[in-house]
Amino acid sequence: MITERSYTVEPWAVRETSLDLDLLAQSESVFALSNGHVGWRGNLDEGEPHGLPGAYLNGVYELHPLPYAEAGYGYPESGQTAINVTNGKVLRLLVDDEPFDLRYGRLVAHERKLDLRRGVLERVCEWTSPAGTTVRVRSTRLVSLTQRAVAAVAYEVEPVGSRARVVIQSELVTNESLPDPNGDPRAARALKSPLEPEEDMAVGPRLRLVHRTRRSGLRVAVAADHRVEGPERTVTSSESNVDVARFTVTSVLEPGQRLRVEKLVAHGWSGARSRPAMSDQVEAALAAADHSGWQGLLDDQRAYLDDFWDVADVEVDGDEEIQQAVRFALFHVLEAGARAEQRAIPAKGLTGSGYDGHAFWDTEMFVLPLLTYTAPGAVSEALRWRQNTLDAARERAAQLGLRGAAFPWRTIEGQEGSAYWPAGTAAFHVNADIADAVVRYVAATGDVAFERETGLELLVETARLWRSLGHHDHAGAFHIDGVTGPDEYSAVCDDNTYTNLMARQNLLTAADAAERHPEQAARLGVDDEETAAWRDAAAAMNIPYNAELGVHEQHAGFTRYQRWDFAGTRADQYPLMLHFPYFDLYRKQVIKQADLVLAMYTCDSFFDEEHIARNFAYYEPLTVRDSSLSACVQAVVAARAGHLRLAYDYTAEAALMDLADLEHNTRDGLHIASLAGTWTALVAGFGGMRRDGDSLRFAPRLPERFSRLAFRLRLRGSCLRVEIGPDKAVYTLLSGPPLTLRHHGEQVTLTTDTPAVRPVPPAPQRPEPQQPPHRVPNAR
Ligand code: BGC
């Protein structure tokens, strides 16, 4: 496990200064680079040693049969797993006949640094070969945010002390052998040699490989070009075979001399384009990268990130680790979505093979909120991807005997990929989550064209689903029975409060949008009768409540269940799903992740102050946080209920999920939702930010350790800066048209002329809620 000291704490970088080979897989995730289209894990340049080699192209997957012990109607037959595509980042090195391999010889110095402002991974190391030759290697790597097909590496070698003969082999490698998957059922299935060769080429410094997946029929092309700088008599050659294309550079270096190779790599894939077309596509992308050159790519990367940080930065005074972690989080969430362009944003982004590369509700409920207020262009693209998969969702709904669209619980291409229906198909809330993301994006941007062309259709088809999935009982109340909410330790329940409240919003916002866009709505077959039925269902939505306890129920009957035997559960029996049968988890009061508590964040105007506090106090002792999606939500609601100290501890848990490998699975890829949740914990937790129609409201309050929290947001064409101190908050409109927002209920109108300064009221005093034994968050 990574200890907290694995990386130095600094505001704009994540740096490791020694190499622990046992932690390679974790650091490969932390140091992964991506732009949402191409993802390169932070593997060492030489390819070996490695934890898990990884190069991914968003949307490239292979199909495999899904095994079932017992057959059943409507079970997805085929699974999709993202595959490791042709690896363009390899540069092998030979020093005086010996492979540069850090498992041998002596590593004199080592440093890797992820630079969050420049968007590059830098490495410097000094190594003495077993035969005693010492070299210094420097490399800088980027996955371009401005040219989405392109990644690049600059690799430099110099001898230290004595002359060295060096050979650099820059390669494209396909079908790398991958380590066997470990026993964790959540870890991804690795597919062996999924790519069949179609073309290989090596001419001078130019390389190209084209392959095709066997079952899914996707064509993958990768090409590279090189620029070499070295002493006279540096020679080069190249060759290729079906799975490797290689450019070799040989030189003899005196001390003080350097050999430098700049490698530009272009990627492409398609399910439709021919082999020649794919070759041309990557050659064209390479030509564009060549035109920019290495320095041009670096400059563009910096400029892109400068623009991002200008509107997205979060500053934390009082906790340097959280300051670093939130920038690390913003960086990786941006990388996961920036150039995904009508493709999914997977739960691990493109940083590892975890969860088979699938996207979940994580995208709409955790990742898109951050991007909505910092990089809204990525949000409309992610939602267009959902729109593009509507046919599959409609087919699924029809298969299930429902109307509208039933979006998949987990998927790459749009088909349901969950083989476990109680926590897959039954988790219908994903549909309302998508609808919520549409409404949030439109409110934040005012993008009416998007609402008309994309949002409306998503809202209508999901509203139809709810109307057909639920029913009015004899007294008129509307119920949605037999569904699974966010808490996966309860399944197939009646009237899950989160689901019902989100469905209610979905039905109402669909009806409103249909009225705003009557022509388009008519084209989708919506008439007044249908919208009236949606409104009726929403108005009659049943929200289960236990009057005796004075708390809302997570689902009907939940508070009547037996409590889980927390006292009899040992620390090493968490996560519970790996030690206890689901059947027992399902029938007891025990909660994997925030569910009712999440509803109090996403639908907070439904709950009054007292209920937020009471519900939170009731559900805290039942919530075990066996999902990384929980701590950030608990942070938000703890802050809302006035438990600032607890909110702070939860924020730190979300923030350090990957930097400290808290769940011991960072090796499989980063927890993109928890990273995004770090931002949410700060902005919605301590900033108290909530949606308020087309605007925002804030109710800021800082935990004791923070002396200042400042964040920037994009809202309706303006850029807003919120700066919170212990006693006052300052709202500054940095650019754009005037904005009206609320501060602790008071309306505040902002223009770019003058900031608004408002006092921060003290937090209400309430008894500290308890957590289950062994599940108290680490106190900071
Ligand atoms: C959580 C889900 C989540 C998935 C992917 C599971 O452990 O329970 O809510 O969508 O992980 O992050």
Side-chain angles (χ1 to χ4, degrees), residues 323-390:
Q323 171 66 85
Q324 176 185 43
V326 67
R327 289 200 176 119
F328 173 75
L330 277 156
F331 179 80
H332 274 299
V333 173
L334 175 73
E335 294 226 312
R339 305 301 306 272
E341 291 170 25
Q342 305 198 20
R343 284 282 151 199
I345 301 179
K348 304 279 179 194
L350 300 178
T351 67
S353 61
Y355 285 125
D356 287 333
H358 290 178
F360 296 71
W361 71 306
D362 304 34
T363 308
E364 281 78 10
M365 289 317 283
F366 293 82
V367 174
L368 296 193
L370 181 164
L371 293 174
T372 298
Y373 299 105
T374 57
V379 177
S380 51
E381 292 293 314
L383 293 170
R384 283 199 183 94
W385 167 68
R386 288 291 191 184
Q387 185 183 30
N388 294 342
T389 66
L390 259 169

Coordinates of all heavy atoms in Angstrom, one line a residue, residues 323-390:
Q323 N -4.8 20.7 -0.4 CA -4.5 21.6 -1.5 C -4.0 20.9 -2.7 O -4.4 21.0 -3.8 CB -3.5 22.7 -1.1 CG -3.0 23.6 -2.2 CD -4.1 24.4 -2.8 OE1 -4.4 25.5 -2.4 NE2 -4.7 23.9 -3.9
Q324 N -3.0 20.1 -2.5 CA -2.4 19.3 -3.6 C -3.4 18.3 -4.1 O -3.6 18.2 -5.4 CB -1.2 18.5 -3.0 CG -0.5 17.6 -4.1 CD 0.6 16.7 -3.5 OE1 0.4 16.2 -2.4 NE2 1.7 16.6 -4.2
A325 N -4.1 17.6 -3.2 CA -5.0 16.6 -3.7 C -6.1 17.2 -4.5 O -6.6 16.5 -5.5 CB -5.6 15.9 -2.5
V326 N -6.6 18.3 -4.2 CA -7.8 18.8 -5.0 C -7.3 19.3 -6.4 O -8.0 19.1 -7.4 CB -8.6 19.9 -4.3 CG1 -7.8 21.2 -4.1 CG2 -9.9 20.2 -5.1
R327 N -6.1 19.7 -6.5 CA -5.6 20.1 -7.9 C -5.3 18.8 -8.7 O -5.5 18.7 -9.8 CB -4.3 21.0 -7.7 CG -4.7 22.4 -7.3 CD -3.6 23.3 -7.6 NE -4.0 24.7 -7.2 CZ -3.3 25.4 -6.3 NH1 -2.2 25.0 -5.7 NH2 -3.7 26.6 -6.0
F328 N -4.7 17.8 -8.0 CA -4.5 16.5 -8.6 C -5.9 16.0 -9.1 O -6.0 15.4 -10.2 CB -3.9 15.6 -7.5 CG -3.8 14.1 -7.9 CD1 -2.8 13.7 -8.8 CD2 -4.6 13.2 -7.4 CE1 -2.6 12.4 -9.2 CE2 -4.5 11.8 -7.7 CZ -3.5 11.5 -8.6
A329 N -6.9 16.1 -8.3 CA -8.2 15.6 -8.6 C -8.7 16.4 -9.8 O -9.2 15.8 -10.8 CB -9.1 15.8 -7.4
L330 N -8.7 17.7 -9.8 CA -9.2 18.5 -10.9 C -8.4 18.1 -12.2 O -9.1 18.0 -13.3 CB -9.0 20.0 -10.6 CG -10.0 20.7 -9.8 CD1 -9.5 21.9 -9.0 CD2 -11.2 21.1 -10.6
F331 N -7.1 18.0 -12.1 CA -6.3 17.6 -13.3 C -6.8 16.3 -13.9 O -7.1 16.2 -15.1 CB -4.9 17.5 -12.8 CG -3.9 17.1 -13.9 CD1 -3.5 18.1 -14.9 CD2 -3.5 15.8 -14.1 CE1 -2.6 17.7 -15.9 CE2 -2.6 15.5 -15.1 CZ -2.2 16.4 -16.0
H332 N -6.9 15.3 -13.0 CA -7.3 14.0 -13.6 C -8.8 13.9 -14.1 O -9.1 13.2 -15.0 CB -7.0 12.8 -12.6 CG -5.6 12.3 -12.6 ND1 -5.1 11.8 -13.8 CD2 -4.6 12.4 -11.7 CE1 -3.8 11.4 -13.5 NE2 -3.5 11.8 -12.3
V333 N -9.6 14.7 -13.4 CA -11.0 14.7 -13.9 C -11.1 15.4 -15.2 O -11.7 15.0 -16.2 CB -12.0 15.3 -12.9 CG1 -13.4 15.4 -13.4 CG2 -12.0 14.5 -11.6
L334 N -10.4 16.5 -15.4 CA -10.3 17.2 -16.7 C -9.8 16.2 -17.7 O -10.3 16.1 -18.8 CB -9.4 18.4 -16.6 CG -9.2 19.1 -17.9 CD1 -10.4 19.8 -18.4 CD2 -8.0 20.0 -17.9
E335 N -8.7 15.5 -17.4 CA -8.0 14.6 -18.4 C -9.0 13.5 -18.8 O -9.0 13.1 -19.9 CB -6.8 14.0 -17.8 CG -5.7 15.0 -17.5 CD -4.3 14.5 -18.0 OE1 -4.0 13.4 -17.7 OE2 -3.7 15.3 -18.7
A336 N -9.9 13.1 -17.8 CA -10.8 12.0 -18.1 C -11.9 12.4 -19.1 O -12.4 11.7 -19.9 CB -11.5 11.5 -16.9
G337 N -12.2 13.7 -19.1 CA -13.3 14.2 -19.9 C -13.0 15.1 -21.0 O -13.8 15.3 -21.9
A338 N -11.8 15.8 -20.9 CA -11.5 16.9 -21.8 C -11.8 16.6 -23.3 O -12.5 17.4 -23.9 CB -10.1 17.3 -21.7
R339 N -11.3 15.6 -23.8 CA -11.5 15.3 -25.2 C -12.2 14.0 -25.5 O -12.0 13.3 -26.5 CB -10.1 15.3 -25.9 CG -9.3 16.6 -25.7 CD -10.0 17.8 -26.2 NE -10.4 17.8 -27.5 CZ -9.7 18.1 -28.6 NH1 -8.4 18.6 -28.4 NH2 -10.1 18.0 -29.8
A340 N -13.1 13.6 -24.6 CA -13.8 12.3 -24.7 C -14.7 12.4 -25.9 O -14.9 11.4 -26.6 CB -14.5 11.9 -23.5
E341 N -15.2 13.5 -26.2 CA -16.0 13.8 -27.4 C -17.0 12.7 -27.8 O -16.7 11.9 -28.6 CB -15.1 14.2 -28.5 CG -14.5 15.6 -28.2 CD -13.3 16.1 -29.0 OE1 -13.3 15.6 -30.2 OE2 -12.6 16.9 -28.6
Q342 N -18.1 12.7 -27.2 CA -19.2 11.8 -27.5 C -18.8 10.3 -27.2 O -19.2 9.4 -28.0 CB -19.7 12.0 -28.9 CG -20.1 13.4 -29.1 CD -21.0 13.6 -30.3 OE1 -21.6 12.7 -30.8 NE2 -21.1 14.9 -30.7
R343 N -18.0 10.2 -26.2 CA -17.6 8.9 -25.7 C -17.9 8.9 -24.2 O -17.9 10.0 -23.6 CB -16.2 8.5 -26.0 CG -15.9 8.1 -27.4 CD -16.4 6.7 -27.6 NE -16.8 6.5 -29.0 CZ -17.6 5.5 -29.4 NH1 -18.0 4.6 -28.5 NH2 -17.9 5.4 -30.7
A344 N -17.9 7.8 -23.6 CA -18.2 7.7 -22.1 C -17.0 8.3 -21.4 O -15.9 8.4 -21.9 CB -18.4 6.2 -21.7
I345 N -17.3 8.6 -20.1 CA -16.2 8.9 -19.2 C -16.2 7.7 -18.2 O -17.0 7.7 -17.3 CB -16.3 10.2 -18.4 CG1 -16.4 11.4 -19.5 CG2 -15.2 10.5 -17.4 CD1 -16.6 12.8 -18.9
P346 N -15.3 6.8 -18.3 CA -15.3 5.6 -17.5 C -15.0 5.9 -16.0 O -14.4 6.9 -15.7 CB -14.2 4.7 -18.1 CG -13.9 5.3 -19.4 CD -14.2 6.7 -19.3
A347 N -15.4 4.9 -15.2 CA -15.2 5.1 -13.7 C -13.7 5.3 -13.4 O -13.4 5.9 -12.4 CB -15.7 3.9 -13.0
K348 N -12.8 4.7 -14.2 CA -11.4 4.9 -14.0 C -10.8 5.8 -15.0 O -9.5 5.8 -15.1 CB -10.7 3.5 -14.1 CG -11.2 2.4 -13.1 CD -10.7 2.6 -11.7 CE -11.3 1.6 -10.8 NZ -11.0 1.9 -9.4
G349 N -11.6 6.5 -15.7 CA -11.0 7.3 -16.8 C -10.3 6.4 -17.7 O -10.7 5.3 -18.0
L350 N -9.1 6.9 -18.3 CA -8.3 6.0 -19.1 C -7.0 5.7 -18.3 O -5.9 5.9 -18.9 CB -8.1 6.6 -20.5 CG -9.3 6.9 -21.3 CD1 -8.9 7.5 -22.6 CD2 -10.1 5.6 -21.6
T351 N -7.1 5.4 -17.0 CA -5.9 5.3 -16.2 C -5.6 3.9 -15.8 O -4.6 3.6 -15.2 CB -6.0 6.1 -14.9 OG1 -7.1 5.6 -14.1 CG2 -6.4 7.6 -15.2
G352 N -6.5 3.0 -16.1 CA -6.3 1.6 -15.7 C -7.4 0.7 -16.2 O -8.4 1.2 -16.8
S353 N -7.3 -0.6 -15.9 CA -8.2 -1.5 -16.5 C -9.4 -1.9 -15.6 O -10.2 -2.7 -15.9 CB -7.5 -2.8 -16.9 OG -6.9 -3.4 -15.7
G354 N -9.4 -1.2 -14.4 CA -10.5 -1.5 -13.4 C -11.9 -1.3 -14.0 O -12.1 -0.5 -14.8
Y355 N -12.8 -2.1 -13.4 CA -14.2 -2.1 -13.9 C -14.3 -2.3 -15.4 O -15.3 -1.8 -16.0 CB -14.9 -0.8 -13.5 CG -15.2 -0.7 -12.0 CD1 -14.8 0.3 -11.2 CD2 -16.0 -1.7 -11.4 CE1 -15.1 0.4 -9.9 CE2 -16.3 -1.6 -10.0 CZ -15.8 -0.6 -9.3 OH -16.1 -0.5 -8.0
D356 N -13.4 -3.0 -16.0 CA -13.4 -3.4 -17.4 C -13.5 -2.1 -18.3 O -13.9 -2.2 -19.5 CB -14.6 -4.2 -17.7 CG -14.5 -5.7 -17.2 OD1 -13.3 -6.1 -17.1 OD2 -15.5 -6.3 -17.0
G357 N -13.2 -1.0 -17.7 CA -13.2 0.3 -18.5 C -14.6 0.8 -18.7 O -14.9 1.6 -19.6
H358 N -15.5 0.3 -17.8 CA -17.0 0.7 -17.9 C -17.2 2.1 -17.3 O -16.6 2.5 -16.4 CB -17.9 -0.3 -17.2 CG -17.9 -1.6 -18.0 ND1 -18.6 -2.7 -17.5 CD2 -17.3 -2.0 -19.1 CE1 -18.5 -3.7 -18.3 NE2 -17.7 -3.3 -19.3
A359 N -18.3 2.7 -17.9 CA -18.8 4.0 -17.3 C -20.1 3.6 -16.5 O -20.8 2.7 -16.9 CB -19.2 5.0 -18.4
F360 N -20.3 4.3 -15.4 CA -21.4 4.0 -14.5 C -22.2 5.4 -14.3 O -21.8 6.4 -14.9 CB -20.9 3.6 -13.1 CG -20.3 2.2 -13.1 CD1 -19.0 2.1 -13.7 CD2 -20.9 1.1 -12.5 CE1 -18.3 0.8 -13.6 CE2 -20.2 -0.1 -12.5 CZ -19.0 -0.2 -13.0
W361 N -23.0 5.4 -13.3 CA -23.7 6.7 -12.9 C -22.7 7.6 -12.3 O -22.9 8.8 -12.2 CB -24.8 6.4 -11.8 CG -24.3 6.0 -10.5 CD1 -23.4 5.0 -10.2 CD2 -24.6 6.6 -9.2 NE1 -23.2 4.9 -8.9 CE2 -23.9 5.9 -8.2 CE3 -25.4 7.7 -8.8 CZ2 -23.9 6.2 -6.9 CZ3 -25.4 8.0 -7.5 CH2 -24.7 7.2 -6.5
D362 N -21.5 7.1 -12.0 CA -20.4 8.0 -11.5 C -20.2 9.2 -12.4 O -20.0 10.3 -11.9 CB -19.0 7.2 -11.6 CG -19.0 5.9 -10.8 OD1 -20.0 5.2 -10.8 OD2 -17.9 5.6 -10.3
T363 N -20.4 9.0 -13.7 CA -20.2 10.1 -14.6 C -21.1 11.3 -14.3 O -20.7 12.4 -14.1 CB -20.4 9.6 -16.1 OG1 -19.6 8.5 -16.3 CG2 -20.1 10.7 -17.1
E364 N -22.4 10.9 -14.4 CA -23.4 12.0 -14.3 C -23.5 12.6 -12.9 O -23.7 13.8 -12.7 CB -24.8 11.5 -14.7 CG -25.0 11.5 -16.2 CD -24.3 10.3 -16.9 OE1 -23.9 9.4 -16.1 OE2 -24.2 10.2 -18.1
M365 N -23.3 11.8 -11.8 CA -23.5 12.3 -10.5 C -22.3 12.8 -9.8 O -22.4 13.5 -8.8 CB -24.2 11.3 -9.6 CG -25.7 11.0 -10.0 SD -26.6 12.5 -10.4 CE -26.9 13.1 -8.7
F366 N -21.1 12.4 -10.2 CA -19.9 12.8 -9.5 C -19.0 13.6 -10.4 O -18.5 14.7 -10.0 CB -19.2 11.6 -9.0 CG -20.0 10.9 -7.9 CD1 -21.0 10.0 -8.2 CD2 -19.7 11.2 -6.6 CE1 -21.8 9.4 -7.2 CE2 -20.5 10.6 -5.5 CZ -21.5 9.7 -5.9
V367 N -18.8 13.1 -11.7 CA -17.8 13.8 -12.5 C -18.4 15.0 -13.2 O -17.7 16.1 -13.3 CB -17.3 12.7 -13.6 CG1 -16.4 13.4 -14.6 CG2 -16.6 11.6 -12.9
L368 N -19.6 14.9 -13.8 CA -20.1 16.0 -14.5 C -20.4 17.2 -13.7 O -20.3 18.3 -14.2 CB -21.3 15.6 -15.4 CG -21.1 14.5 -16.4 CD1 -22.3 14.4 -17.4 CD2 -19.8 14.8 -17.2
P369 N -20.8 17.1 -12.4 CA -21.0 18.3 -11.6 C -19.7 19.2 -11.7 O -19.8 20.4 -11.9 CB -21.3 17.8 -10.2 CG -22.0 16.5 -10.5 CD -21.3 15.9 -11.6
L370 N -18.6 18.6 -11.4 CA -17.3 19.4 -11.5 C -17.1 20.0 -12.8 O -16.8 21.2 -13.0 CB -16.2 18.5 -11.1 CG -14.7 19.0 -11.0 CD1 -13.8 18.0 -10.3 CD2 -14.1 19.3 -12.4
L371 N -17.3 19.2 -13.9 CA -17.0 19.7 -15.2 C -18.0 20.7 -15.7 O -17.7 21.6 -16.4 CB -17.0 18.5 -16.2 CG -15.8 17.6 -16.0 CD1 -15.9 16.4 -17.0 CD2 -14.4 18.3 -16.2
T372 N -19.3 20.6 -15.1 CA -20.3 21.6 -15.5 C -19.9 23.0 -15.2 O -20.1 23.9 -16.0 CB -21.6 21.3 -14.8 OG1 -22.0 20.0 -15.2 CG2 -22.7 22.3 -15.1
Y373 N -19.2 23.2 -14.0 CA -18.8 24.5 -13.6 C -17.4 24.9 -13.9 O -16.9 26.0 -13.5 CB -19.1 24.7 -12.1 CG -20.5 24.4 -11.8 CD1 -21.0 23.3 -11.2 CD2 -21.5 25.4 -12.1 CE1 -22.3 23.0 -10.9 CE2 -22.9 25.2 -11.9 CZ -23.3 24.0 -11.3 OH -24.6 23.8 -11.1
T374 N -16.7 24.0 -14.6 CA -15.3 24.3 -14.9 C -14.9 24.1 -16.4 O -14.1 24.8 -17.0 CB -14.3 23.4 -14.1 OG1 -14.6 22.0 -14.3 CG2 -14.4 23.7 -12.6
A375 N -15.5 23.0 -17.0 CA -15.2 22.7 -18.4 C -16.5 22.2 -19.1 O -16.6 21.1 -19.5 CB -14.1 21.7 -18.5
P376 N -17.5 23.1 -19.2 CA -18.8 22.7 -19.6 C -18.9 22.0 -21.0 O -19.8 21.2 -21.2 CB -19.7 23.9 -19.6 CG -18.7 25.1 -19.5 CD -17.5 24.6 -18.9
G377 N -18.0 22.3 -21.8 CA -17.9 21.7 -23.1 C -17.8 20.2 -23.0 O -18.4 19.4 -23.8
A378 N -17.1 19.7 -22.0 CA -16.9 18.3 -21.9 C -18.2 17.6 -21.4 O -18.5 16.5 -21.7 CB -15.8 18.0 -20.8
V379 N -19.1 18.4 -20.8 CA -20.4 17.9 -20.2 C -21.3 17.6 -21.4 O -22.0 16.6 -21.5 CB -21.0 18.8 -19.2 CG1 -22.3 18.3 -18.7 CG2 -20.0 19.0 -18.0
S380 N -21.5 18.6 -22.3 CA -22.4 18.4 -23.4 C -22.0 17.3 -24.2 O -22.8 16.5 -24.7 CB -22.5 19.7 -24.2 OG -21.3 20.2 -24.6
E381 N -20.6 17.1 -24.4 CA -20.2 15.9 -25.2 C -20.5 14.6 -24.5 O -20.9 13.6 -25.1 CB -18.6 16.0 -25.3 CG -18.2 17.2 -26.2 CD -18.6 17.0 -27.7 OE1 -18.4 15.9 -28.2 OE2 -19.2 18.0 -28.3
A382 N -20.3 14.6 -23.2 CA -20.6 13.3 -22.4 C -22.1 13.0 -22.5 O -22.5 11.8 -22.7 CB -20.2 13.4 -21.0
L383 N -22.9 14.0 -22.5 CA -24.4 13.7 -22.6 C -24.8 13.4 -24.0 O -25.7 12.7 -24.2 CB -25.1 14.9 -22.0 CG -24.9 15.1 -20.5 CD1 -25.5 16.4 -20.0 CD2 -25.6 13.9 -19.7
R384 N -24.1 13.9 -25.0 CA -24.4 13.5 -26.3 C -24.0 12.1 -26.5 O -24.7 11.4 -27.3 CB -23.6 14.4 -27.3 CG -24.2 15.7 -27.5 CD -23.7 16.5 -28.8 NE -24.3 17.8 -28.8 CZ -23.7 18.9 -28.3 NH1 -22.5 18.8 -27.9 NH2 -24.4 20.0 -28.2
W385 N -23.0 11.6 -25.8 CA -22.7 10.2 -25.9 C -23.9 9.4 -25.4 O -24.4 8.4 -26.0 CB -21.5 9.8 -25.0 CG -21.4 8.4 -24.8 CD1 -21.1 7.4 -25.8 CD2 -21.6 7.6 -23.6 NE1 -21.1 6.2 -25.3 CE2 -21.4 6.2 -23.9 CE3 -21.9 8.0 -22.3 CZ2 -21.6 5.2 -23.0 CZ3 -22.1 7.0 -21.4 CH2 -21.9 5.6 -21.7
R386 N -24.5 9.8 -24.3 CA -25.7 9.1 -23.8 C -26.8 9.2 -24.9 O -27.5 8.2 -25.1 CB -26.2 9.8 -22.5 CG -25.4 9.5 -21.3 CD -25.4 8.1 -20.8 NE -24.8 7.9 -19.5 CZ -24.7 6.8 -18.9 NH1 -25.0 5.6 -19.4 NH2 -24.1 6.7 -17.7
Q387 N -27.0 10.3 -25.5 CA -28.0 10.4 -26.6 C -27.7 9.4 -27.7 O -28.6 8.8 -28.2 CB -28.0 11.8 -27.1 CG -29.2 12.0 -28.1 CD -29.2 13.4 -28.7 OE1 -28.1 14.1 -28.8 NE2 -30.3 13.9 -29.1
N388 N -26.4 9.3 -28.1 CA -26.0 8.4 -29.1 C -26.3 6.9 -28.8 O -26.4 6.1 -29.7 CB -24.5 8.5 -29.5 CG -24.2 9.9 -30.1 OD1 -25.1 10.6 -30.5 ND2 -22.9 10.2 -30.0
T389 N -26.5 6.7 -27.5 CA -26.7 5.3 -27.1 C -28.2 5.0 -26.8 O -28.6 4.0 -26.2 CB -25.9 4.9 -25.8 OG1 -26.4 5.6 -24.7 CG2 -24.4 5.1 -26.0
L390 N -29.0 6.0 -27.1 CA -30.5 5.9 -26.8 C -31.1 4.7 -27.5 O -32.0 4.1 -26.9 CB -31.2 7.2 -27.2 CG -31.5 8.2 -26.1 CD1 -32.0 9.5 -26.7 CD2 -32.5 7.6 -25.1

